[in-house]
Amino acid sequence: MKVKLFLCALLVLSAFPVSAQKSVVPLPVDSAFHYGKNYLFYALPKTAFRVEVTVARVQEFQGPYSDYAGKLLGLTNVITQDKVVYSVKDFRMEQLSVMDTEYMYAVELSSKQVRDRMLENICLDNAIRAQGVESVSYVSSTPQIPDFFRYYSDLAYMEQSNNYVETQIVDGVVRQIPASHTKRVVKSSEQKAQEAADMIAKIREDRYALLTGSQETAYSSETVHLLVDELNQMEQNYLGLFIGFTVEDEQHFSFVYVPQANSNPALLCSVSSANGFSRNGSPNPSENYYLRIQPEEPVSLPQTFTAKWKCSKGYKTQNGYRVRTAVPAKVVLMRGAAEIFDFGCRDIYQWGHIEVLPVGMNDLDISKFAIIYTQY
């Protein structure tokens, strides 16, 4: 009876390495290392933030007749030079996980994991999750300059008549005959501005006539409203030649930031009122945006505990899956030295402790703790 029990136990022990998960090999490996055909590759995750910044861009364009706005129309609040002013309109952050290339591993699957099609199921799950990930790129809209301003033109010349007296001798009689000579001369900028100012005065007269009903035609109320709107638009177009005009649009920027333990607070970007968005810092501290990450517990404690644990009696070296526990940390967005938004407590993986699990954990879904990738 004892012999039968011993043989059964020996049979179970001999079959265990075949069905159990095999060792996990850290990458990169030596060139002499030979991969089998049933390998799974994964990397530990690290926390990153996808930052999306919306910048409002206000462009001011000087009118071609701005120098005569005060003299001809009495206007003082005019744009005297072209300029662009930038400001932050929206700032968003989304937490995501990316591969930590410093901690990558190759796993030789057990026969049970191969039969359960573990690798195929993980890849399918990753593909399904990836369908819900939106790609974000930089978008900048084109300023909509009014067509009237872009294509406005006036005749660059005018006809000028010179009157003079022409002397003619007819049948011995000397006669003084009035005559004139017409020629084209180039208009000056002030003359062009004067014509535009006269057009504004004419538009105002026509609008006044419509509103007071001094015209002979009896227009309906809808027609009067339509004509007044058209005259208002014409007046704004001509006034823009003197005052100038402003165009507002948006620029959208997106980038991924990975927190580093030795950089806290870390510069995310800067938005200068004169130069706009940049990933570099601005000399003006109030234009710089930082991310401050404060761990809820000291990061060094788990490493200290692990070092002491490995030296204790009875410790056995493990060679299974490597997983990492995230460290909760408070994340705050700052502009200069001022806190402008608290993103709350977030899990930061790269500051956490890496734990080595025992071999043979076939039922562990490693895709929940790591990022699976394909090795070519």
Side-chain angles (χ1 to χ4, degrees):
M1 185 65 180
K2 293 182 179 180
V3 175
K4 291 183 178 180
L5 290 175
F6 175 77
L7 292 177
C8 290
L10 184 62
L11 180 62
V12 171
L13 291 175
S14 63
F16 181 77
V18 177
S19 61
Q21 169 217 357
K22 299 182 181 180
S23 63
V24 178
V25 182
L27 298 178
V29 295
D30 186 83
S31 58
F33 184 85
H34 175 70
Y35 288 109
K37 67 175 183 177
N38 295 317
Y39 266 85
L40 177 148
F41 299 89
Y42 77 91
L44 293 182
K46 58 182 177 180
T47 302
F49 294 96
R50 181 166 60 190
V51 183
E52 298 179 15
V53 184
T54 302
V55 177
R57 179 175 60 181
V58 179
Q59 300 184 75
E60 295 183 353
F61 295 89
Q62 180 183 5
Y65 304 146
S66 61
D67 294 339
Y68 309 101
K71 178 180 180 181
L72 300 179
L73 297 175
L75 300 174
T76 56
N77 188 19
V78 299
I79 299 173
T80 57
Q81 62 179 356
D82 295 346
K83 67 177 181 178
V84 184
V85 179
Y86 299 89
S87 62
V88 174
K89 185 175 182 180
D90 192 21
F91 205 110
R92 298 177 181 270
M93 283 204 336
E94 177 188 1
Q95 183 174 340
L96 63 152
S97 296
V98 297
M99 293 175 54
D100 192 336
T101 55
E102 294 183 6
Y103 298 97
M104 306 174 73
Y105 305 93
V107 182
E108 186 176 6
L109 300 180
S110 67
S111 57
K112 179 180 183 302
Q113 291 171 328
V114 173
R115 289 195 304 270
D116 293 341
R117 303 180 65 86
M118 175 182 175
L119 182 58
E120 291 84 347
N121 293 333
I122 289 177
C123 293
L124 179 60
D125 291 341
N126 289 344
I128 293 174
R129 285 196 296 266
Q131 292 176 1
V133 179
E134 296 181 359
S135 60
V136 180
S137 59
Y138 163 75
V139 178
S140 178
S141 56
T142 303
Q144 299 300 317
I145 303 176
D147 290 342
F148 182 86
F149 191 90
R150 286 197 299 168
Y151 303 121
Y152 175 79
S153 63
D154 198 357
L155 290 177
Y157 64 89
M158 63 180 179
E159 293 184 348
Q160 185 178 49
S161 298
N162 295 325
N163 297 323
Y164 61 94
V165 178
E166 187 178 79
T167 301
Q168 296 182 358
I169 300 176
V170 180
D171 297 332
V173 180
V174 178
R175 296 180 179 181
Q176 300 291 329
I177 302 175
S180 64
H181 175 69
T182 302
K183 64 177 180 178
R184 292 181 176 179
V185 294
V186 178
K187 294 180 184 178
S188 65
S189 297
E190 185 173 359
Q191 288 173 327
K192 295 179 182 179
Q194 182 64 63
E195 291 181 358
D198 293 340
M199 188 63 182
I200 293 174
K202 180 66 170 60
I203 292 172
R204 292 174 177 175
E205 291 176 1
D206 293 342
R207 182 174 56 206
Y208 179 81
L210 279 172
L211 294 175
T212 58
S214 60
Q215 76 282 354
E216 297 180 357
T217 305
Y219 295 112
S220 65
S221 176
E222 292 78 5
T223 303
V224 171
H225 281 295
L226 178 61
L227 293 175
V228 170
D229 289 342
E230 291 293 331
L231 289 171
N232 289 339
Q233 185 61 52
M234 289 179 62
E235 182 183 13
Q236 291 301 317
N237 289 339
Y238 278 96
L239 281 173
L241 300 176
F242 294 89
I243 300 175
F245 67 97
T246 301
V247 175
E248 298 183 13
D249 64 341
E250 294 181 354
Q251 293 179 324
H252 299 269
F253 300 88
S254 177
F255 60 93
V256 174
Y257 167 71
V258 181
Q260 304 294 331
N262 58 354
S263 180
N264 196 21
L267 176 68
L268 291 179
C269 64
S270 64
V271 179
S272 167
S273 59
N275 301 317
F277 177 88
S278 173
R279 289 300 309 277
N280 300 320
S282 169
N284 184 358
S286 62
E287 296 177 341
N288 293 328
Y289 290 82
Y290 300 90
L291 197 65
R292 188 182 67 195
I293 302 177
Q294 185 65 40
E296 295 293 334
E297 60 182 37
V299 179
S300 59
L301 288 182
Q303 284 82 346
T304 304
F305 172 78
T306 303
K308 294 181 179 179
W309 178 44
K310 289 182 178 180
C311 297
S312 62
K313 185 177 180 180
Y315 170 78
K316 295 182 179 180
T317 303
Q318 307 292 352
N319 197 28
Y321 286 123
R322 274 73 160 175
V323 296
R324 179 157 53 187
T325 305
V327 173
K330 183 179 180 181
V331 180
V332 177
L333 178 66
M334 305 175 65
R335 183 173 60 203
E339 296 183 5
I340 61 175
F341 191 80
D342 187 352
F343 288 96
C345 191
R346 302 297 180 96
D347 292 331
I348 309 299
Y349 278 103
Q350 52 267 42
W351 295 351
H353 168 62
I354 298 177
E355 182 178 356
V356 184
L357 303 180
V359 176
M361 303 185 68
N362 286 332
D363 296 329
L364 176 66
D365 186 359
I366 189 61
S367 64
K368 294 181 178 180
F369 305 92
I371 299 176
I372 311 300
Y373 67 98
T374 303
Q375 179 82 359
Y376 294 100

